Amino acid sequence: MKLLTALFGFAVAAAMPAQSVAGASTESFGGRNLIVYQPENLPPAGHRALVVVLHGGLGNAQRIASGGAESALNLNAEADKDGFLVVYLNGTPVTRRLGDNFLGWNAGGGCCGMSAENNIDDVGYIQGAVHELEAKYGVDPARVFGIGHSNGAMMTQRLMCVTDLYASAIAISGALDAPDTACPAARGKHILALHGQDDENVPIAGGRGTKGVAGIAFGSEAHSREVFTQSGATYDLQIVPGAPHALAEIDAAIQKTEGRSIPQKAAAYFRLAAGSSD
């Protein structure tokens, strides 16, 4: 497990028991489980916002929703405070060796693992899941936002590029990892890219990371910014000094310099937090 932690930037557990989370329900769409967090103080149906959370490679929804690995993607406390829904989605098994609890996304550029090898249509899956949740929970389609880490960040960027699903998105430790040279769907939208300065898994400049095991050359943040800005989107790249790939360390660095966590920063960026302006 120490090797996996070093390679992917977060600790993983081979057999983590399911934990119930107050306010959360496990549902199913397209043969995959997903976890919906519904706070008590929601606005009327039709005016509700939804944040879609995508785990990184080897992750899963349960570990985030229960405060385990990649816990800086857990937005439950902010949802309670600011009154929005959160959904934690699951990818598909990314490796034969580790089993069905270690999941990934087909982000469109060869990453990652079996999800890419099997050409899983994660774009279609995520769109379908979100549209079903919009109808079921009274979500305003104009108030759907996305956030993801690592392979989940690449998937988030892919969705911003080829769909109009998200109003804005945050991608952490992962650039656009697809061959797209234009993203017309992103025109007028906003993307915040957070990337650790010392990321050796998915380098800011792209290419093969010295600690990466995906076996591919990743896209660069410079390429992502160029493609999105030329397509009419706003691409805010924030390089986090001294931080590696690991989400926990990026979160700690942001808390130290900004006095707020990634969940708090996300709620403000999506303009869901009271008085938010960024």
Side-chain angles (χ1 to χ4, degrees):
M1 279 312 150
K2 289 183 179 179
L3 174 61
L4 293 177
T5 302
L7 292 174
F8 289 88
F10 58 88
V12 292
M16 181 175 181
Q19 300 179 31
S20 60
V21 178
S25 61
T26 299
E27 304 183 17
S28 180
F29 178 82
R32 308 186 207 178
N33 286 341
L34 54 86
I35 299 172
V36 177
Y37 185 77
Q38 181 177 5
E40 294 182 359
N41 61 326
L42 285 171
H47 300 277
R48 296 169 180 170
L50 171 69
V51 179
V52 181
V53 179
L54 303 184
H55 60 76
L58 298 182
N60 65 48
Q62 177 63 40
R63 285 197 281 269
I64 299 173
S66 61
E70 297 182 293
S71 61
L73 292 179
N74 186 307
L75 301 183
N76 295 359
E78 300 311 307
D80 285 335
K81 186 191 310 179
D82 299 313
F84 59 88
L85 292 149
V86 186
V87 61
Y88 303 93
L89 296 182
N90 278 311
T92 55
V94 74
T95 173
R96 294 176 182 85
R97 184 169 63 90
L98 293 176
D100 293 342
N101 288 327
F102 298 91
L103 309 177
W105 307 98
N106 177 16
C111 186
C112 284
M114 288 171 54
S115 303
E117 291 170 15
N118 295 332
N119 198 29
I120 301 297
D121 182 13
D122 281 320
V123 170
Y125 173 78
I126 294 169
Q127 285 183 295
V130 169
H131 291 329
E132 180 165 286
L133 293 172
E134 288 171 352
K136 181 175 181 178
Y137 287 96
V139 173
D140 179 355
R143 302 189 72 208
V144 178
F145 309 91
I147 185 171
H149 173 241
S150 191
N151 179 215
M154 299 171 199
M155 191 70 231
T156 298
Q157 297 230 31
R158 176 73 171 158
L159 289 162
M160 284 294 288
C161 183
V162 301
T163 78
D164 61 357
L165 190 65
Y166 296 152
S168 59
I170 298 176
I172 309 168
S173 305
L176 180 65
D177 191 53
D180 303 88
T181 57
C183 297
R187 178 170 296 278
K189 297 186 177 181
H190 295 259
I191 300 153
L192 173 62
L194 303 175
H195 215 126
Q197 184 180 44
D198 299 333
D199 192 331
E200 296 179 272
N201 298 64
V202 181
I204 294 171
R208 297 175 185 268
T210 58
K211 290 185 177 180
V213 296
I216 66 168
F218 295 107
S220 69
E221 289 288 4
H223 172 72
S224 298
R225 180 164 53 187
E226 179 181 7
V227 170
F228 278 110
T229 55
Q230 288 185 356
S231 300
T234 299
Y235 195 86
D236 300 312
L237 174 59
Q238 180 179 343
I239 297 174
V240 183
H245 186 74
L247 183 63
E249 295 186 55
I250 294 173
D251 185 46
I254 288 174
Q255 290 195 48
K256 183 176 180 180
T257 58
E258 300 183 20
R260 58 181 178 176
S261 65
I262 285 176
Q264 291 170 326
K265 187 178 180 74
Y269 190 79
F270 296 148
R271 298 184 182 276
L272 297 174
S276 57
S277 60
D278 59 345

